[in-house]
């Protein structure tokens, strides 16, 4: 009897059919698990898309988050289905854990930037179109991505900052409020009339559309210098105009 004839004889035995029938419930259970995870992913994806639309999340960031969620559903679904089929999942998880640990050490900066990007998207300290000050840089936010944020300065320079760096810096958003109060120091020579100085300032600010005075312009004494004394007053100016001037 040849080798192939033996194989055919083994395949025609009732023992193979018995093993297949015994294995059929596991196949059905694994298929049910995969279908359940696929349905869960579809529902979660739809809910995330609705939330991203209401929260004005940038499309690139939304697509990246949906992709990460899909990878998570696929990984967990395949491992659960493999467990239903009788595979040793624990040893596979241990191997994946070692690989994941090595990858996390190699790409810790990238992972930190991604986490910071997710934090920025959720907390929304700024959005595209806002004028902000980050780390001493006054600029317009032109793009927010999962790993980096792109700024355009007053001089039309493009600056790409890692989200990890932005998360560590002090952020001033000039777009959140229409006007800010600015303290202006004024040097007045000894013997000069302070009321005359006040009238000069009122005349200078009257023609400025971005400045708004309080009901009364008041001075506060600051310091004494050799040739003059320094006073200070406060005015309300357009936040966007002041941010552009400061840049």
């Amino acid at each position: 009897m040849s080798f192939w004839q033996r194989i055919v004889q083994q395949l025609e035995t009732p023992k193979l059919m018995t093993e297949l029938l015994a294995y059929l419930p596991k196949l059905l259970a694994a298929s049910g698990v995969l279908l359940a995870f696929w349905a869960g992913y579809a529902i979660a994806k739809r809910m995330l898309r609705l939330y991203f639309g209401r929260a004005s999340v940038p499309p690139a960031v939304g697509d990246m988050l949906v992709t990460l969620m899909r990878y998570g559903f696929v990984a967990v679904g395949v491992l659960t289905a493999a467990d239903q089929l009788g595979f040793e999942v624990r040893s596979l998880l241990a191997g994946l854990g070692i690989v994941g640990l090595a990858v996390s050490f190699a790409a810790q900066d990238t992972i930190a930037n991604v986490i910071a990007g997710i934090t920025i998207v959720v907390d929304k300290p700024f959005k595209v179109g806002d004028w902000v000050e980050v780390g001493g840089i006054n600029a317009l936010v032109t793009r927010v991505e999962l790993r980096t944020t792109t700024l355009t300065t007053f001089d039309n320079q493009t600056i790409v900052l890692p989200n990890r760096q932005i998360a560590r810096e002090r952020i001033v958003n000039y777009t959140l409020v229409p006007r800010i109060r600015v303290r202006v120091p004024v040097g007045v020579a000894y013997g000069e009339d302070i009321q005359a100085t006040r009238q000069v300032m009122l005349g200078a600010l009257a023609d400025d559309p971005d400045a708004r005075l309080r009901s009364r312009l008041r001075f506060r004494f600051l310091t004494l210098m050799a040739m003059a004394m320094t006073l200070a007053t406060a005015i309300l100016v357009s936040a966007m105009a002041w941010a552009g001037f400061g840049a």
Side-chain angles (χ1 to χ4, degrees):
M1 184 180 294
S2 65
F3 174 77
W4 293 109
Q5 289 175 343
R6 294 177 182 177
I7 294 296
V8 172
Q9 184 178 3
Q10 291 293 329
L11 291 175
E12 292 176 350
T13 57
K15 181 180 179 181
L16 180 61
M17 296 300 298
T18 303
E19 292 179 354
L20 288 177
L21 291 176
Y23 204 67
L24 185 60
K26 295 182 178 180
L27 288 175
L28 293 176
S31 301
V33 167
L34 292 177
L35 287 175
F37 273 92
W38 178 82
Y41 164 71
I43 295 173
K45 178 182 178 181
R46 183 176 180 82
M47 294 178 63
L48 277 180
R49 292 295 188 189
L50 292 175
Y51 171 76
F52 292 159
R54 295 176 181 176
S56 301
V57 176
V61 177
D63 293 340
M64 183 65 69
L65 292 176
V66 171
T67 301
L68 292 176
M69 184 187 67
R70 182 174 69 248
Y71 289 155
F73 268 90
V74 170
V76 177
V78 169
L79 290 176
T80 307
D83 182 65
Q84 294 293 326
L85 292 175
F87 290 96
E88 188 61 33
V89 179
R90 294 182 180 179
S91 59
L92 181 60
L93 288 176
L96 291 177
I98 296 174
V99 174
L101 185 62
V103 172
S104 63
F105 275 113
Q108 56 182 347
D109 290 339
T110 301
I111 295 174
N113 287 324
V114 170
I115 294 175
I118 295 175
T119 303
I120 291 174
V121 170
V122 174
D123 292 345
K124 293 186 291 188
F126 53 79
K127 63 182 183 298
V128 174
D130 287 357
W131 193 280
V132 298
E133 179 181 348
V134 181
I137 301 174
N138 286 324
L140 182 72
V141 180
T142 54
R143 184 180 301 173
V144 179
E145 297 181 339
L146 201 59
R147 195 176 63 86
T148 60
T149 296
T150 303
L151 307 175
T152 301
T153 65
F154 186 75
D155 299 325
N156 204 28
Q157 295 178 344
T158 300
I159 301 176
V160 180
L161 294 178
N163 288 331
R164 180 183 182 184
Q165 178 180 347
I166 294 178
R168 293 178 175 179
E169 296 288 348
R170 174 176 174 265
I171 301 174
V172 180
N173 192 332
Y174 291 102
T175 311
L176 293 179
V177 291
R179 293 184 176 274
I180 60 175
R181 180 171 288 106
V182 178
R183 291 177 175 83
V184 181
V186 180
V188 181
Y190 295 114
E192 296 294 335
D193 187 359
I194 296 179
Q195 291 299 324
T197 304
R198 180 177 181 276
Q199 293 300 323
V200 171
M201 289 194 64
L202 286 174
L205 295 173
D207 298 330
D208 191 345
D210 293 323
R212 178 181 298 175
L213 297 175
R214 300 175 60 183
S215 58
R216 296 181 61 185
L217 184 64
R218 299 179 179 178
F219 288 103
R220 177 177 295 180
F221 173 77
L222 291 182
T223 58
L224 290 174
M225 298 184 296
M227 302 297 296
M229 57 182 172
T230 303
L231 306 177
T233 187
I235 59 175
L236 293 174
V237 299
S238 169
M240 293 291 291
W242 177 257
F245 177 78

